[in-house]
C-alpha cells in the first residue's frame, strides 16, 4: 500500500485478523493499526502476532483512526456504535462495517448520523488471502476513501463495488455463502470417487486440486465458463456424459433456487436485526 492512514479495528475475530494479516503482507505499517476487544488476553496474542497496538477501550481505539472497521457481531453492533458515537462524531473517520444484514443508514444512525460509511460483505476464503468482497459506499464517502477501502480488502482477495445497497443481499448469496456451495460439490465428488474404490485421501486431493485448477483457469482465461466447459468435452466422451447428467438432473434450476433462497434469507435477517435493535 502506498499510504498508511491509521486504521482501527473494533473487534478482533478471525476476519479482523485475516484483514490485518493481509494488510501487513502487502506492506502496511503495523504502527498505524489499532485493535480493540474486551478480552485482553486475546488482544495480547494479536499484538504479539502482528505488532499492532491494542486496547480494551473501544472509544480510545476509534479516536486514533482515519478509518474505523466495525468487526463485531451484528447482535452487539448497536451497543458498540452508540458507545463510540461521541468520539467518531468529533473525529469524523471513514466507517467500515463487515457485519452482514445491517444497513448503512442503520449503522450511521447509531453512530450519530452524517458519517462516511462503507459496508463490506467479505467471505471466509479471506482467511487464506483468496477472499471475494462486495462493497457499498454511502453518499458521504469520497473517492480517496473508496480507494483506501479497496486497498485494504484487495490485500485479502478481490474487492468489487455495487451501486445499490440491496445488491449486497445478492453478494451474500453469491460469494458470501458461495464457499459452502463448492464445499458441497467437493464433498459429493469425494463420496462418489471413494464409492468407486479410490482411497479417501487420494480422492480428496484430486478433487481439491481439480477445483483449484479449474478456478485458476477461469480466472486467467479470456473465455467464459460455458466455453471452458465445452473445451473439456469431447463428443461422446466421459465429460459430455457427466455434464448431460447434471443438465438432465436440473442442476441449473437447483443452483438458481439455492441462490434465491440465500438471497431471501439475507433480506429476512436484515429485517430481523433491524427490529431487535
Amino acid at each position: 500500500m502506498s499510504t498508511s492512514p491509521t486504521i482501527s479495528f473494533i473487534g478482533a475475530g478471525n476476519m479482523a485478523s485475516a484483514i490485518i494479516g493481509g494488510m501487513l503482507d502487502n506492506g502496511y505499517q503495523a504502527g498505524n493499526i489499532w485493535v480493540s476487544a474486551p478480552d485482553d488476553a486475546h488482544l495480547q496474542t494479536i499484538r504479539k502476532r502482528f505488532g499492532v497496538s491494542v486496547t480494551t477501550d473501544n472509544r480510545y481505539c476509534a479516536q486514533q483512526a482515519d478509518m474505523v472497521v466495525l468487526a463485531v457481531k451484528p447482535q452487539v453492533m448497536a451497543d458498540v456504535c452508540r458507545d463510540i458515537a461521541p468520539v467518531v462524531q468529533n473525529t469524523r473517520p471513514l466507517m467500515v462495517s463487515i457485519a452482514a444484514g445491517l444497513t448503512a443508514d442503520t449503522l450511521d444512525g447509531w453512530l450519530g448520523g452524517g458519517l462516511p460509511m462503507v459496508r463490506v460483505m467479505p467471505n471466509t476464503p479471506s482467511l487464506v488471502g483468496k477472499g471475494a468482497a462486495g462493497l457499498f459506499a454511502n453518499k458521504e464517502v469520497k473517492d480517496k476513501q473508496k480507494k483506501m477501502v479497496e486497498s485494504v480488502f484487495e490485500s485479502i482477495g478481490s474487492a468489487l463495488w455495487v451501486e445499490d445497497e440491496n445488491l449486497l443481499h445478492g453478494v451474500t448469496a453469491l460469494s458470501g455463502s458461495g464457499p459452502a456451495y463448492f464445499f458441497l460439490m467437493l464433498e459429493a465428488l469425494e463420496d462418489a470417487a471413494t464409492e468407486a474404490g479410490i482411497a479417501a485421501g487420494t480422492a480428496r486431493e484430486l478433487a481439491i486440486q481439480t477445483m483449484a485448477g479449474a478456478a485458476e483457469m477461469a480466472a486467467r482465461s479470456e473465455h467464459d465458463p460455458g466455453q471452458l466447459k465445452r473445451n473439456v468435452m469431447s463428443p461422446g466422451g466421459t465429460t459430455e456424459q457427466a455434464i448431460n447428467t447434471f443438465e438432465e438432473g436440473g442442476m441449473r434450476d437447483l443452483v438458481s433456487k439455492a441462490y434465491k433462497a440465500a438471497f431471501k434469507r439475507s433480506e429476512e435477517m436484515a429485517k430481523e436485526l433491524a427490529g431487535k435493535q
Side-chain angles (χ1 to χ4, degrees):
M1 297 182 188
S2 59
T3 59
S4 287
T6 300
I7 300 180
S8 291
F9 289 81
I10 310 295
N14 288 337
M15 191 60 70
S17 293
I19 296 168
I20 293 167
M23 291 168 64
L24 297 177
D25 287 344
N26 281 269
Y28 205 86
Q29 299 174 17
N32 283 22
I33 299 175
W34 279 82
V35 183
S36 66
D39 185 344
D40 187 60
H42 178 60
L43 284 174
Q44 293 310 315
T45 300
I46 294 289
R47 181 184 63 79
K48 291 176 183 177
R49 178 182 176 188
F50 296 120
V52 299
S53 300
V54 299
T55 177
T56 57
D57 187 334
N58 287 345
R59 289 191 181 190
Y60 186 78
C61 188
Q63 191 172 11
Q64 314 306 313
D66 300 299
M67 176 173 134
V68 176
V69 180
L70 299 169
V72 299
K73 294 179 180 180
Q75 292 79 6
V76 301
M77 185 68 80
D79 289 340
V80 168
C81 287
R82 288 166 181 150
D83 178 55
I84 66 172
V87 171
V88 296
Q89 281 297 317
N90 182 50
T91 58
R92 315 297 291 180
L94 170 64
M95 304 299 301
V96 177
S97 169
I98 61 172
L102 294 172
T103 68
D105 283 347
T106 296
L107 292 162
D108 190 46
W110 292 336
L111 292 164
L115 294 171
M117 170 69 66
V118 172
R119 282 189 60 202
V120 182
M121 182 63 223
N123 65 0
T124 54
S126 300
L127 300 173
V128 293
K130 295 292 185 180
L135 291 70
F136 168 79
N138 72 4
K139 57 182 175 52
E140 304 295 332
V141 178
K142 297 179 172 60
D143 287 342
K144 182 178 180 180
Q145 293 172 317
K146 290 182 72 173
K147 290 178 181 177
M148 189 193 314
V149 177
E150 281 179 12
S151 69
V152 168
F153 285 91
E154 284 176 351
S155 72
I156 53 169
S158 298
L160 302 169
W161 293 94
V162 297
E163 296 299 321
D164 184 340
E165 186 173 12
N166 284 330
L167 291 175
L168 287 182
H169 295 302
V171 173
T172 298
L174 177 58
S175 54
S177 299
Y181 312 159
F182 293 102
F183 294 145
L184 174 61
M185 184 65 171
L186 189 63
E187 185 180 35
L189 281 171
E190 282 185 35
D191 289 345
T194 54
E195 287 175 10
I198 297 176
T202 300
R204 174 163 298 185
E205 185 170 346
L206 287 172
I208 290 172
Q209 185 61 25
T210 301
M211 185 176 290
E216 188 66 22
M217 286 183 68
R220 294 188 185 191
S221 178
E222 61 184 17
H223 300 302
D224 62 32
Q227 183 60 51
L228 291 173
K229 176 194 68 181
R230 289 188 290 274
N231 290 347
V232 185
M233 298 167 63
S234 300
T238 59
T239 308
E240 183 183 69
Q241 290 298 307
I243 294 299
N244 287 345
T245 302
F246 282 133
E247 296 284 13
E248 291 166 4
M251 183 174 179
R252 290 177 186 271
D253 184 53
L254 187 60
V255 170
S256 177
K257 288 179 179 178
Y259 179 89
K260 290 174 182 177
F263 189 109
K264 181 181 178 181
R265 182 55 186 150
S266 179
E267 290 181 317
E268 292 171 349
M269 289 174 66
K271 292 176 182 177
E272 290 169 5
L273 285 167
K276 289 179 180 178
Q277 304 292 344

